[in-house]
Amino acid sequence: MALSTSSLIGQKIKLSKSLLIKEPTFIIRYWLVGEITHSLTGGAYKDKKIIDIGGNGSPLPDILDKKIDLLDLPENNYENYIKASALDMPIKDHSYDIVTSCDVYEHIKQDDRQTFIKELLRISKEFVILCGPMYSPESAAAEKRVNNFFNSIFGREHPWLNEHITYGLPKATELEEILKEEGINFIKFDHGCLPSWELITKLNFLSVEGAIADDDRIEGEIEALNNDYISKYGPHDFCEKGYRTIYIIDVSGSGSLIKFDTPKVEPGIEDHFSLRTQNILAGLASSIRVHSHNEDLLNIEATELLRHNHALQEELNGIYDSKLWFFFRVARKLISILKKIFRKIGLTQIFKWIKSIVLDIAMKTPYIRRILSVTHAEIQRKKNQRLREYEYLEWVRQHRPTSFDLEDQAKSSTLFKSQPLISIIMPTYNTQPDFLKTCIESVQNQSYRNWELCIADDASPGERTQHILSEYANSDTRIKVKFRKKNGHICAASNSALELASGKYIALLDHDDFLWANALYEVVATINRHPDADLIYSDEDKIDQKGLVHSDPFFKPDWSPDYLRSVNYITHFAVIRKQLMDKVGGFRLGYEGAQDWDLFLRLSRETSRIYHIPKIIYSWRKSNTSTALLASAKKYAYTNQRKALMDDATARGLEVRELKWGVPNLMWRSDYKLNGVPKVSIIIPTKDQYPHISKCLATLYRRTTYSNFEVVLVDTGSGDKRVWQLYEKYRQHQNFKQIQWNDEFNFSDVCNFGAQSASGEYLLFLNNDTEIITRDWVQGLLQFAQQPHAGAVGCKLLYPNHTLQHAGVILGVGGNNQTPGIAGHFYPAYQDNPPEDSTEALYIGGVRDFSAVTAACVMVSKTKFNKVGGFDGKFKIAWNDVDFCLKLRKEGLFNIFNPYVKLFHHESVSVGVPGSKHRDLNLFNQEIKLFGEKWGWDYINNDPYYNPNFRRDTANARLSLD
């Protein structure tokens, strides 16, 4: 029988008070080993011979209250200590019943790791318990963040973290391959939620490494926090992907069944942890013995730590309030009662059999499965959100310009060929004094000096705001102020500020926001690279009301006209050529709350010379009246947003049949009226796969509401009689045509062959393993394919389990050590409804442009298809759709993703995946090389619709950190 666990660890071993005050993650990992040892031996571990490898300073003897042997290299006076290398232990084979090793494996050089594992197996008679961090992109990034934090405080690398980074964390697959070769069974589980591990480790660095002044109260609070973590929070800190992985390796091959009791999670554990943390952090401002610039850093860390723990409590409360938790509570109570009854009448085995059947049936019911899906997605979404928050905190730390950076920028900006005057316009009204002063001073601190700040106060009541503005204007000649006598709202005030401007470019700034000190430098650098620039925008984030914590980053794509019609993604920081600003007439009265969006839409109709700075240089402030904190703070904005979007559609010659907001994901959806009822040819390449092609055709004919279409089915050599009978059945439809491809399979040539036989004005290429979900799917694609700027139009494709298969294609992502990344799907296999990542709504919630969309379901004008020569026959099995989309882009067209059109897709069912028996891996690799030669790796690795701050190993919009 293979090793398995029925539940998580239970607390059978009680820790002494002397251990509760020590560094918590150190104690917890040894406590875990003690718990496992207790379970493996049924509590009789004192009769077992145990050795801890790498155990210099190990608390395991104290935890087990037993003399055990320790082996390590440093000197040690411990009675049972063996001073030796773990790679060549002076120990006879099978000398110990249980061999343990905590956080040692990752400190072994990669070339020696197999030797280390085999030594552990050699000296063990029954079990090896191995625990430590294993490699994942998330754990590696977290270790780098903690090491960078340590370095920023103490000016040196942390010794053991630096060794992890230098050697590289071990990979689970490599360890498990060794065990597989040896024929040894094992089980594993993870402990230590990454954000929790990261934050408590940072806090203990401040204490253990001597950064906190001699303050008994603070030290006492940290001891209490560690106590809380070790005794209350840590024992429950198990997760799917934790910091530390624990392996229980069955060397003896006994196959003993290991059972662990599940600890009951007490409500309020995380809240208690949070309160203790708050008490510590409250005293840090006066107790940190570091330089002033590091105090700001620690204040940010403190605030983030507190917010993290509140988030944990919210997540726990959400679980308790969920239907799933209620179901399991009731089920557990009922099972407990029945278990006692059956035990009394001596039918325990029958009870287990009945319980297994009932639970199996229950878990397969649609209602329970739906609850599980929703609950899992919500928990995953919150975990992903927390992880993104801490990754962004590290990103800010790495990218915030230092004083040295700003000095260099000030010098180098004087060498720019073009040094235009930038007029920053800012309307004010009754602004909170601290916010206003911070905002103005953020302009004064710019490393690029050639600017003017044009302020129009919109008749603020009282004298407070006017007094502040007058003081700054009197002390700095670059600050111009106009005091309006009558309140006219933001558009009128912005136009008044615009009247003061004399610069070549106009920059927009809100009165309570914050301009990063390198903002204007980055703008002018862009102008020097692109002298034709008419509109420049940047990435952005938000800051809390105290101006300490940066959050909610928005890393934007390059110019995406269809995205702008879904949401005002440009927002701030926007810089506009003054000549163009004058041409469109500035801000329009009556569009308050949507004035910027209306302006950008009008500007985009006049110019395509729009450039994006892929850096965060502007921070919105989350004030009580700001849309940065609460969208409903300015409800009138939505009425004016609707008006601006309708105006834009009319100006572009489009008729909006229906305009909706918030469906889905707080985006605007413009449902455009079709230009006539043109014929659409649906081209389906197929071979055999009767279950899929039959379902594809059935849903197509049953659910399609568009009337003027034809199906051109291209059979590439089916041998299944059922398929031919199916074709015969559909020939009864006048709009069904089946043609035969007799040559060797080549996806590109097959699609081109189908297009030649198509009589429609628009071509819709469709995989045979798709199922229609959205009934007006053809209309949803056609309304964009008809627009002059459109190239290929794609949709949202879902796997049968409702996770994402396609939501746009990103260039230059994926790949592995053998092959570079050509392209990948955005948010691969993420839950669609409900989403499991909060950024899904931002990046794929509305219509937007991509470099490519998949040919599994794509529509294009036949004229445009022919203009670019259709699909390139050199790409027989892969990248043909990406190549086709890039050819359309080369013609100045935009490839559009419409998330409101949904289909199911059983990906690669027909022809398999590369490397399978149906696919030629050599040909696949040849086409990767061909694609790189055709388009160039620099082009491939710089997708304009995927921000360069994102990681390239996967397309899930996660930040790339040093």
Side-chain angles (χ1 to χ4, degrees):
M1 183 181 293
L3 289 169
S4 64
T5 56
S6 61
S7 55
L8 298 177
I9 303 291
Q11 288 178 275
K12 298 180 178 65
I13 294 179
K14 302 301 179 184
L15 298 177
S16 65
K17 290 184 179 180
S18 63
L19 295 176
L20 292 178
I21 62 173
K22 294 191 176 182
E23 200 281 315
T25 61
F26 172 73
I27 296 301
I28 281 288
R29 64 179 181 250
Y30 279 103
W31 166 80
L32 283 169
V33 171
E35 287 282 316
I36 294 167
T37 302
H38 187 288
S39 294
L40 288 173
T41 61
Y45 57 84
K46 292 196 175 181
D47 298 330
K48 299 289 184 178
K49 193 174 181 184
I50 302 172
I51 187 170
D52 186 21
I53 307 301
N56 181 46
S58 169
L60 194 58
D62 291 334
I63 290 172
L64 295 177
D65 190 23
K66 165 186 168 61
K67 285 286 185 181
I68 66 172
D69 290 351
L70 305 179
L71 181 145
D72 210 337
L73 284 170
E75 296 293 337
N76 193 304
N77 295 325
Y78 179 72
E79 182 180 348
N80 293 46
Y81 188 78
I82 302 171
K83 186 177 183 299
S85 168
L87 301 176
D88 184 19
M89 293 185 279
I91 300 171
K92 293 181 180 180
D93 294 358
H94 312 304
S95 296
Y96 292 91
D97 299 301
I98 297 176
V99 177
T100 70
S101 182
C102 292
D103 285 40
V104 176
Y105 188 34
E106 70 276 15
H107 292 281
I108 305 291
K109 292 181 179 179
Q110 287 203 24
D111 292 345
D112 295 327
R113 284 174 176 167
Q114 183 171 358
T115 301
F116 172 69
I117 295 299
K118 290 191 174 181
E119 277 290 275
L120 297 182
L121 300 177
R122 180 184 65 80
I123 67 172
S124 172
K125 186 188 303 182
E126 296 181 5
F127 295 99
V128 171
I129 305 170
L130 178 71
C131 73
M134 305 297 286
Y135 173 79
S136 72
E138 292 77 15
S139 58
E143 287 202 331
K144 286 184 179 180
R145 290 195 297 272
V146 174
N147 190 47
N148 289 342
F149 171 80
F150 186 90
N151 194 2
S152 69
I153 301 298
F154 303 105
R156 65 182 188 276
E157 305 289 332
H158 191 274
W160 58 262
L161 279 174
N162 188 48
E163 194 162 271
H164 289 195
I165 295 166
T166 301
Y167 291 165
L169 290 175
K171 294 182 178 179
T173 52
E174 294 173 355
L175 168 60
E176 290 165 18
E177 186 62 33
I178 296 172
L179 299 178
K180 184 178 179 181
E181 289 176 359
E182 298 288 332
I184 297 175
N185 290 325
F186 65 90
I187 62 169
K188 65 176 181 177
F189 53 88
D190 279 9
H191 180 272
C193 176
L194 270 173
S196 301
W197 169 83
E198 180 175 341
L199 290 163
I200 202 166
T201 301
K202 287 177 179 177
L203 191 60
N204 274 273
F205 279 170
L206 296 177
S207 176
V208 176
E209 297 291 339
I212 294 179
D214 295 329
D215 187 322
D216 292 339
R217 183 179 62 82
I218 296 295
E219 292 291 350
E221 290 291 346
I222 288 184
E223 286 185 5
L225 175 71
N226 291 343
N227 187 320
D228 285 348
Y229 185 84
I230 294 170
S231 61
K232 295 184 179 180
Y233 181 62
H236 307 288
D237 194 12
F238 296 91
C239 52
E240 187 175 344
K241 291 183 179 180
Y243 174 69
R244 185 169 284 103
T245 303
I246 297 91
Y247 281 86
I248 306 173
I249 304 168
D250 182 18
V251 179
S252 67
S254 64
S256 302
L257 182 66
I258 303 170
K259 290 185 178 180
F260 297 128
D261 295 329
T262 306
K264 293 183 179 179
V265 181
E266 299 174 13
I269 286 176
E270 287 83 355
D271 190 46
H272 181 63
F273 186 61
S274 174
L275 288 174
R276 285 297 188 186
T277 305
Q278 185 178 13
N279 289 336
I280 296 170
L281 298 174
L284 280 180
S286 60
S287 300
I288 299 295
R289 193 171 62 230
V290 290
H291 297 298
S292 60
H293 70 277
N294 280 336
E295 289 181 10
D296 292 337
L297 181 68
L298 292 169
N299 284 334
I300 293 172
E301 286 289 332
T303 309
E304 285 296 307
L305 179 58
L306 185 58
R307 186 170 68 173
H308 161 72
N309 287 300
H310 282 308
L312 287 175
Q313 182 60 43
E314 288 176 7
E315 182 175 327
L316 183 65
N317 292 339
I319 293 172
Y320 287 145
D321 293 339
S322 69
K323 293 180 181 178
L324 181 67
W325 186 259
F326 175 78
F327 167 78
F328 279 122
R329 250 180 25 199
V330 173
R332 188 172 181 178
K333 191 95 172 176
L334 182 61
I335 289 172
S336 178
I337 294 171
L338 292 174
K339 185 176 181 179
K340 290 177 181 178
I341 294 172
F342 275 79
R343 185 183 294 143
K344 283 185 177 180
I345 59 178
L347 299 175
T348 303
Q349 194 59 40
I350 294 177
F351 166 76
K352 289 180 179 179
W353 177 70
I354 294 173
K355 183 182 76 170
S356 175
I357 293 175
V358 171
L359 287 177
D360 187 55
I361 293 172
M363 298 300 282
K364 290 180 180 179
T365 61
Y367 177 73
I368 297 300
R369 291 177 66 180
R370 180 60 180 165
I371 292 175
L372 285 168
S373 174
V374 171
T375 304
H376 168 79
E378 179 62 16
I379 292 171
Q380 191 61 45
R381 188 190 67 78
K382 289 180 178 178
K383 287 181 179 178
N384 286 337
Q385 180 65 16
R386 289 204 310 274
L387 190 56
R388 286 185 183 276
E389 287 174 357
Y390 294 108
E391 286 178 344
Y392 183 57
L393 181 67
E394 178 61 23
W395 187 95
V396 171
R397 187 178 294 114
Q398 292 180 11
H399 292 83
R400 184 165 38 199
T402 66
S403 58
F404 301 107
D405 295 331
L406 298 175
E407 286 177 13
D408 288 343
Q409 290 172 11
K411 293 176 183 177
S412 61
S413 63
T414 62
L415 303 177
F416 282 145
K417 183 178 180 180
S418 175
Q419 300 175 39
L421 175 65
I422 308 293
S423 296
I424 303 170
I425 66 169
M426 183 175 77
T428 62
Y429 177 77
N430 204 30
T431 314
Q432 185 171 318
D434 290 345
F435 295 173
L436 182 57
K437 291 176 182 179
T438 300
C439 180
I440 294 173
E441 288 170 8
S442 75
V443 176
Q444 291 180 312
N445 292 331
Q446 290 299 301
S447 59
Y448 179 77
R449 306 299 186 187
N450 194 18
W451 55 264
E452 63 179 6
L453 178 58
C454 304
I455 305 173
D457 182 69
D458 199 20
S460 294
E463 299 180 354
R464 184 176 57 175
T465 301
Q466 295 181 15
H467 178 71
I468 293 171
L469 295 178
S470 296
E471 278 191 337
Y472 278 99
N474 291 334
S475 63
D476 193 331
T477 57
R478 296 172 297 178
I479 299 176
K480 303 176 181 180
V481 180
K482 179 176 182 177
F483 295 104
R484 290 173 52 85
K485 294 181 180 180
K486 183 180 179 181
N487 180 270
H489 216 308
I490 190 168
C491 292
S494 296
N495 284 333
S496 294
L498 192 57
E499 292 171 1
L500 300 174
S502 56
K504 189 175 181 180
Y505 290 89
I506 304 298
L508 310 183
L509 177 63
D510 277 0
H511 60 157
D512 54 358
D513 291 344
F514 179 82
L515 198 59
W516 290 37
N518 61 326
L520 293 184
Y521 172 85
E522 298 294 349
V523 167
V524 177
T526 301
I527 291 171
N528 277 269
R529 287 193 298 271
H530 305 286
D532 64 336
D534 286 329
L535 171 60
I536 300 168
Y537 64 94
S538 75
D539 298 338
E540 66 193 46
D541 72 1
K542 296 182 177 70
I543 51 174
D544 65 349
Q545 297 201 49
K546 293 182 179 179
L548 284 176
V549 179
H550 288 262
S551 63
D552 305 317
F554 187 7
F555 291 95
K556 306 172 186 178
D558 285 356
W559 172 231
S560 177
D562 295 283
Y563 197 27
L564 185 62
R565 290 162 200 139
S566 294
V567 64
N568 179 13
Y569 84 93
I570 291 179
T571 56
H572 300 299
F573 181 51
V575 179
I576 304 147
R577 189 184 294 272
K578 175 81 160 49
Q579 185 179 5
L580 183 61
M581 188 76 156
D582 293 339
K583 181 179 179 181
V584 301
F587 297 91
R588 292 202 291 177
L589 301 183
Y591 289 79
E592 287 76 16
Q595 72 283 344
D596 291 350
W597 198 358
D598 173 64
L599 174 65
F600 300 144
L601 289 168
R602 287 183 287 125
L603 290 170
S604 68
R605 297 198 297 268
E606 298 292 335
T607 183
S608 60
R609 296 185 290 273
I610 302 172
Y611 295 94
H612 166 224
I613 299 171
K615 297 181 180 181
I616 288 179
I617 54 177
Y618 189 98
S619 297
W620 293 45
R621 188 181 296 274
K622 293 182 176 180
S623 65
N624 291 330
T625 58
S626 171
T627 51
L629 181 62
L630 186 64
S632 60
K634 297 179 180 177
K635 294 180 180 179
Y636 60 84
Y638 302 119
T639 299
N640 293 335
Q641 287 176 8
R642 174 183 291 275
K643 186 163 59 170
L645 287 168
M646 293 297 288
D647 288 352
D648 180 65
T650 301
R652 291 188 295 116
L654 297 172
E655 184 178 344
V656 177
R657 190 175 63 86
E658 188 177 16
L659 184 61
K660 296 179 181 179
W661 180 83
V663 185
N665 302 325
L666 306 182
M667 299 276 183
W668 281 96
R669 175 184 179 181
S670 297
D671 190 4
Y672 299 107
K673 186 177 180 180
L674 298 180
N675 183 16
V677 190
K679 190 173 187 178
V680 175
S681 298
I682 303 174
I683 301 167
I684 308 176
T686 186
K687 178 183 177 182
D688 292 323
Q689 296 298 330
Y690 173 79
H692 292 289
I693 185 60
S694 61
K695 187 170 290 187
C696 175
L697 290 173
T699 59
L700 191 159
Y701 274 95
R702 186 170 67 249
R703 295 177 182 167
T704 302
T705 58
Y706 189 74
S707 58
N708 192 15
F709 74 91
E710 67 171 355
V711 173
V712 180
L713 189 144
V714 187
D715 187 273
T716 61
S718 294
D720 190 334
K721 292 181 180 180
R722 295 176 300 169
V723 167
W724 291 101
Q725 292 170 355
L726 184 72
Y727 298 165
E728 194 62 34
K729 170 187 172 182
Y730 279 97
R731 285 195 183 96
Q732 299 172 14
H733 296 276
Q734 292 183 352
N735 62 349
F736 180 85
K737 181 194 305 183
Q738 184 263 314
I739 59 177
Q740 193 64 33
W741 173 263
N742 295 316
D743 292 338
E744 180 185 359
F745 179 80
N746 178 316
F747 182 83
S748 296
D749 289 345
V750 169
C751 288
N752 292 338
F753 179 64
Q756 291 170 9
S757 300
S759 58
E761 296 177 52
Y762 292 87
L763 307 177
L764 200 172
F765 296 93
L766 185 68
N767 272 24
N768 65 346
D769 54 352
T770 55
E771 300 174 44
I772 312 304
I773 299 174
T774 308
R775 298 179 69 84
D776 60 348
W777 67 294
V778 175
Q779 296 96 313
L781 300 175
L782 183 58
Q783 63 179 281
F784 291 100
Q786 286 187 322
Q787 297 183 30
H789 76 291
V793 184
C795 65
K796 182 180 285 186
L797 297 178
L798 305 175
Y799 292 113
N801 65 356
H802 291 269
T803 56
L804 291 168
Q805 190 272 328
H806 172 265
V809 173
I810 305 297
L811 298 180
V813 298
N816 52 48
N817 294 333
Q818 287 74 40
T819 59
I822 295 291
H825 295 297
F826 212 2
Y827 288 98
Y830 275 56
Q831 187 74 28
D832 177 58
N833 186 25
E836 66 180 54
D837 195 308
S838 58
T839 60
E840 284 181 52
L842 186 62
Y843 291 116
I844 60 173
V847 175
R848 61 167 288 183
D849 305 294
F850 280 94
S851 289
V853 290
T854 180
C857 179
V858 64
M859 182 184 287
V860 65
S861 156
K862 191 172 185 179
T863 301
K864 294 171 183 175
F865 180 86
N866 290 333
K867 184 176 181 180
V868 299
F871 292 95
D872 188 340
K874 294 178 182 177
F875 297 101
K876 298 180 180 180
I877 63 170
W879 321 122
N880 29 61
D881 48 1
V882 180
D883 174 77
F884 171 66
C885 288
L886 295 187
K887 291 195 294 182
L888 291 167
R889 269 194 63 200
K890 194 175 180 180
E891 293 295 322
L893 300 172
F894 290 84
N895 299 310
I896 301 171
F897 163 69
N898 184 355
Y900 307 107
V901 173
K902 294 184 181 182
L903 283 75
F904 285 123
H905 184 210
H906 305 268
E907 186 183 20
S908 300
V909 167
S910 299
V911 295
V913 296
S916 71
K917 64 180 181 179
H918 302 291
R919 298 288 289 274
D920 188 334
L921 189 57
N922 290 329
L923 179 58
F924 179 75
N925 290 329
Q926 289 173 18
E927 294 189 2
I928 290 177
K929 182 180 178 182
L930 176 64
F931 194 96
E933 291 172 349
K934 179 174 181 178
W935 292 104
W937 290 108
D938 185 62
Y939 180 85
I940 295 168
N941 291 325
N942 289 279
D943 189 327
Y945 301 106
Y946 194 63
N947 196 287
N949 290 287
F950 293 150
R951 279 165 39 180
R952 313 301 292 188
D953 57 332
T954 184
N956 58 6
R958 290 285 294 280
L959 285 173
S960 175
L961 300 173
D962 296 335

